[in-house]
Amino acid sequence: MLLKIERLRLKCQYSRPSELASAIEETKSFYLKNESELSDFKSTLQLFEAELHFQRAKYEDALRLSIEYYRKLEPDFFHLVYLQSYSLSKIAKLNQKLGRHSDALENFQKSVNIVLDKKGCDHYLYAIKLNELADIYDEIGDLNKSLDLRLEAVSIFRNSYSTNLYFGDILKGYASTLELS
């Protein structure tokens, strides 16, 4: 059962936009067949539905679902640090799309603080969150702040011994900030 859940989660998370709706329907169907055993899985499904609304440019619906999902998370559940920070980042990105930059900035900062508090300043997830925070500073025109955040993110990856898929995103963000300045 756990393997099936993980397969469905990954399918929803990494589906192409054109395949996301069918992945969510397959996941819902599985959930309904096994509802008694999967009480916590329902809220995760809500996050995937928020992603579907985001991809369809229904930002208000996506924002509502993302906020509902975030409110259901248990704040002291250690393995939920990623989901908490992901959810806050999603809320921030939706606010950013809707032009609500102060709300976006606040949620990105909360996401960064959660990871910093739970994982520390040398964790790759902290670097990813710094990079996301830098994106909003680019958008509002504070390129110095953005550049500082991106340099810190690059430094974290450079000093860690782990390789990570997101390092390319960090460098791409750094390069785009340099182009803007």
Side-chain angles (χ1 to χ4, degrees):
M1 169 113 27
L2 288 175
L3 287 174
K4 175 73 173 178
I5 292 169
E6 184 63 11
R7 187 184 70 73
L8 289 169
R9 185 189 68 75
L10 290 170
K11 189 173 184 179
C12 286
Q13 189 170 353
Y14 295 107
S15 289
R16 292 186 199 124
S18 61
E19 299 168 347
L20 184 60
S22 69
I24 288 174
E25 285 307 312
E26 181 183 349
T27 304
K28 276 184 182 177
S29 173
F30 176 76
Y31 171 76
L32 291 173
K33 289 178 188 170
N34 301 287
E35 189 171 1
S36 63
E37 300 173 45
L38 300 171
S39 60
D40 294 338
F41 190 57
K42 188 175 184 179
S43 62
T44 303
L45 184 58
Q46 188 175 23
L47 189 61
F48 295 135
E49 287 182 298
E51 180 63 29
L52 180 62
H53 285 299
F54 181 78
Q55 290 181 6
R56 292 180 175 167
K58 295 180 179 178
Y59 301 125
E60 291 289 347
D61 291 334
L63 181 59
R64 179 184 47 77
L65 287 169
S66 296
I67 290 171
E68 286 174 17
Y69 174 78
Y70 175 72
R71 288 181 178 156
K72 290 178 185 175
L73 293 175
E74 304 261 340
D76 50 311
F77 234 170
F78 184 73
H79 74 280
L80 290 180
V81 170
Y82 173 78
L83 290 176
Q84 288 173 327
S85 66
Y86 175 83
S87 182
L88 279 168
S89 291
K90 178 58 80 180
I91 292 167
K93 287 175 188 175
L94 288 163
N95 278 313
Q96 188 176 359
K97 284 274 190 194
L98 293 166
R100 300 174 187 157
H101 294 103
S102 63
D103 290 339
L105 190 58
E106 179 184 338
N107 285 298
F108 275 130
Q109 190 61 58
K110 284 180 184 176
S111 178
V112 168
N113 292 342
I114 285 172
V115 175
L116 179 61
D117 183 49
K118 301 289 186 188
K119 298 288 188 180
C121 64
D122 58 349
H123 195 273
Y124 77 92
L125 189 55
Y126 179 64
I128 292 168
K129 297 303 163 185
L130 289 176
N131 197 54
E132 291 175 347
L133 182 59
D135 288 340
I136 190 71
Y137 280 110
D138 274 350
E139 192 166 309
I140 62 176
D142 191 344
L143 301 180
N144 289 331
K145 181 69 173 172
S146 175
L147 193 55
D148 289 344
L149 291 167
R150 292 192 196 282
L151 285 171
E152 186 177 352
V154 167
S155 176
I156 291 166
F157 273 105
R158 191 182 53 188
N159 294 331
S160 73
Y161 294 104
S162 66
T163 57
N164 193 292
L165 306 170
Y166 298 104
F167 189 54
D169 291 336
I170 303 284
L171 292 176
K172 187 171 88 174
Y174 177 67
S176 71
T177 301
L178 288 176
E179 286 176 10
L180 291 171
S181 56

PDB file of all heavy atoms in Angstrom, residues 25-36:
ATOM      1  N   GLU A  25      -7.156  12.328 -10.623  1.00  0.00           N
ATOM      2  CA  GLU A  25      -8.347  11.458 -10.624  1.00  0.00           C
ATOM      3  C   GLU A  25      -7.989  10.033 -10.206  1.00  0.00           C
ATOM      4  O   GLU A  25      -8.723   9.398  -9.443  1.00  0.00           O
ATOM      5  CB  GLU A  25      -9.019  11.465 -11.999  1.00  0.00           C
ATOM      6  CG  GLU A  25      -9.793  12.730 -12.287  1.00  0.00           C
ATOM      7  CD  GLU A  25     -10.802  13.075 -11.192  1.00  0.00           C
ATOM      8  OE1 GLU A  25     -11.566  12.191 -10.759  1.00  0.00           O
ATOM      9  OE2 GLU A  25     -10.804  14.245 -10.756  1.00  0.00           O
ATOM     10  N   GLU A  26      -6.876   9.517 -10.689  1.00  0.00           N
ATOM     11  CA  GLU A  26      -6.430   8.182 -10.292  1.00  0.00           C
ATOM     12  C   GLU A  26      -6.153   8.132  -8.791  1.00  0.00           C
ATOM     13  O   GLU A  26      -6.515   7.180  -8.107  1.00  0.00           O
ATOM     14  CB  GLU A  26      -5.172   7.799 -11.078  1.00  0.00           C
ATOM     15  CG  GLU A  26      -4.657   6.410 -10.754  1.00  0.00           C
ATOM     16  CD  GLU A  26      -3.367   6.063 -11.490  1.00  0.00           C
ATOM     17  OE1 GLU A  26      -2.958   6.809 -12.410  1.00  0.00           O
ATOM     18  OE2 GLU A  26      -2.771   5.035 -11.126  1.00  0.00           O
ATOM     19  N   THR A  27      -5.549   9.198  -8.274  1.00  0.00           N
ATOM     20  CA  THR A  27      -5.235   9.277  -6.851  1.00  0.00           C
ATOM     21  C   THR A  27      -6.513   9.360  -6.018  1.00  0.00           C
ATOM     22  O   THR A  27      -6.643   8.681  -4.995  1.00  0.00           O
ATOM     23  CB  THR A  27      -4.332  10.496  -6.570  1.00  0.00           C
ATOM     24  OG1 THR A  27      -3.174  10.391  -7.402  1.00  0.00           O
ATOM     25  CG2 THR A  27      -3.917  10.559  -5.126  1.00  0.00           C
ATOM     26  N   LYS A  28      -7.478  10.161  -6.468  1.00  0.00           N
ATOM     27  CA  LYS A  28      -8.759  10.259  -5.761  1.00  0.00           C
ATOM     28  C   LYS A  28      -9.465   8.904  -5.719  1.00  0.00           C
ATOM     29  O   LYS A  28     -10.001   8.501  -4.693  1.00  0.00           O
ATOM     30  CB  LYS A  28      -9.676  11.264  -6.464  1.00  0.00           C
ATOM     31  CG  LYS A  28      -9.465  12.674  -6.097  1.00  0.00           C
ATOM     32  CD  LYS A  28     -10.532  13.517  -6.803  1.00  0.00           C
ATOM     33  CE  LYS A  28     -10.375  14.968  -6.530  1.00  0.00           C
ATOM     34  NZ  LYS A  28     -11.337  15.789  -7.255  1.00  0.00           N
ATOM     35  N   SER A  29      -9.465   8.227  -6.848  1.00  0.00           N
ATOM     36  CA  SER A  29     -10.110   6.912  -6.931  1.00  0.00           C
ATOM     37  C   SER A  29      -9.477   5.932  -5.946  1.00  0.00           C
ATOM     38  O   SER A  29     -10.171   5.209  -5.225  1.00  0.00           O
ATOM     39  CB  SER A  29     -10.005   6.385  -8.372  1.00  0.00           C
ATOM     40  OG  SER A  29     -10.475   5.073  -8.441  1.00  0.00           O
ATOM     41  N   PHE A  30      -8.154   5.919  -5.908  1.00  0.00           N
ATOM     42  CA  PHE A  30      -7.449   5.051  -4.964  1.00  0.00           C
ATOM     43  C   PHE A  30      -7.796   5.419  -3.528  1.00  0.00           C
ATOM     44  O   PHE A  30      -8.042   4.559  -2.686  1.00  0.00           O
ATOM     45  CB  PHE A  30      -5.931   5.155  -5.188  1.00  0.00           C
ATOM     46  CG  PHE A  30      -5.121   4.366  -4.208  1.00  0.00           C
ATOM     47  CD1 PHE A  30      -5.020   2.985  -4.319  1.00  0.00           C
ATOM     48  CD2 PHE A  30      -4.472   5.002  -3.167  1.00  0.00           C
ATOM     49  CE1 PHE A  30      -4.277   2.253  -3.405  1.00  0.00           C
ATOM     50  CE2 PHE A  30      -3.732   4.276  -2.243  1.00  0.00           C
ATOM     51  CZ  PHE A  30      -3.629   2.906  -2.365  1.00  0.00           C
ATOM     52  N   TYR A  31      -7.836   6.713  -3.256  1.00  0.00           N
ATOM     53  CA  TYR A  31      -8.164   7.171  -1.905  1.00  0.00           C
ATOM     54  C   TYR A  31      -9.557   6.699  -1.501  1.00  0.00           C
ATOM     55  O   TYR A  31      -9.761   6.199  -0.397  1.00  0.00           O
ATOM     56  CB  TYR A  31      -8.072   8.696  -1.802  1.00  0.00           C
ATOM     57  CG  TYR A  31      -8.621   9.210  -0.486  1.00  0.00           C
ATOM     58  CD1 TYR A  31      -7.887   9.088   0.684  1.00  0.00           C
ATOM     59  CD2 TYR A  31      -9.892   9.752  -0.417  1.00  0.00           C
ATOM     60  CE1 TYR A  31      -8.396   9.513   1.890  1.00  0.00           C
ATOM     61  CE2 TYR A  31     -10.404  10.180   0.793  1.00  0.00           C
ATOM     62  CZ  TYR A  31      -9.654  10.056   1.943  1.00  0.00           C
ATOM     63  OH  TYR A  31     -10.168  10.468   3.137  1.00  0.00           O
ATOM     64  N   LEU A  32     -10.532   6.875  -2.382  1.00  0.00           N
ATOM     65  CA  LEU A  32     -11.911   6.497  -2.058  1.00  0.00           C
ATOM     66  C   LEU A  32     -12.049   4.999  -1.802  1.00  0.00           C
ATOM     67  O   LEU A  32     -12.831   4.579  -0.946  1.00  0.00           O
ATOM     68  CB  LEU A  32     -12.861   6.947  -3.163  1.00  0.00           C
ATOM     69  CG  LEU A  32     -13.032   8.467  -3.271  1.00  0.00           C
ATOM     70  CD1 LEU A  32     -13.853   8.826  -4.500  1.00  0.00           C
ATOM     71  CD2 LEU A  32     -13.659   9.041  -2.008  1.00  0.00           C
ATOM     72  N   LYS A  33     -11.289   4.181  -2.513  1.00  0.00           N
ATOM     73  CA  LYS A  33     -11.328   2.728  -2.301  1.00  0.00           C
ATOM     74  C   LYS A  33     -10.694   2.326  -0.980  1.00  0.00           C
ATOM     75  O   LYS A  33     -11.017   1.291  -0.423  1.00  0.00           O
ATOM     76  CB  LYS A  33     -10.613   2.007  -3.443  1.00  0.00           C
ATOM     77  CG  LYS A  33     -11.346   2.055  -4.750  1.00  0.00           C
ATOM     78  CD  LYS A  33     -10.548   1.360  -5.824  1.00  0.00           C
ATOM     79  CE  LYS A  33     -11.196   1.573  -7.180  1.00  0.00           C
ATOM     80  NZ  LYS A  33     -10.350   1.128  -8.278  1.00  0.00           N
ATOM     81  N   ASN A  34      -9.773   3.145  -0.474  1.00  0.00           N
ATOM     82  CA  ASN A  34      -9.014   2.788   0.732  1.00  0.00           C
ATOM     83  C   ASN A  34      -9.131   3.855   1.818  1.00  0.00           C
ATOM     84  O   ASN A  34      -8.229   4.025   2.630  1.00  0.00           O
ATOM     85  CB  ASN A  34      -7.537   2.604   0.364  1.00  0.00           C
ATOM     86  CG  ASN A  34      -7.343   1.533  -0.670  1.00  0.00           C
ATOM     87  OD1 ASN A  34      -7.467   0.361  -0.382  1.00  0.00           O
ATOM     88  ND2 ASN A  34      -7.065   1.943  -1.898  1.00  0.00           N
ATOM     89  N   GLU A  35     -10.228   4.570   1.837  1.00  0.00           N
ATOM     90  CA  GLU A  35     -10.390   5.740   2.708  1.00  0.00           C
ATOM     91  C   GLU A  35     -10.125   5.448   4.182  1.00  0.00           C
ATOM     92  O   GLU A  35      -9.502   6.242   4.884  1.00  0.00           O
ATOM     93  CB  GLU A  35     -11.792   6.314   2.539  1.00  0.00           C
ATOM     94  CG  GLU A  35     -11.991   7.633   3.214  1.00  0.00           C
ATOM     95  CD  GLU A  35     -13.320   8.270   2.831  1.00  0.00           C
ATOM     96  OE1 GLU A  35     -14.094   7.676   2.062  1.00  0.00           O
ATOM     97  OE2 GLU A  35     -13.563   9.368   3.324  1.00  0.00           O
ATOM     98  N   SER A  36     -10.557   4.324   4.665  1.00  0.00           N
ATOM     99  CA  SER A  36     -10.405   4.038   6.095  1.00  0.00           C
ATOM    100  C   SER A  36      -8.940   3.934   6.517  1.00  0.00           C
ATOM    101  O   SER A  36      -8.590   4.232   7.650  1.00  0.00           O
ATOM    102  CB  SER A  36     -11.148   2.762   6.464  1.00  0.00           C
ATOM    103  OG  SER A  36     -10.592   1.664   5.772  1.00  0.00           O
TER     104      SER A  36
END
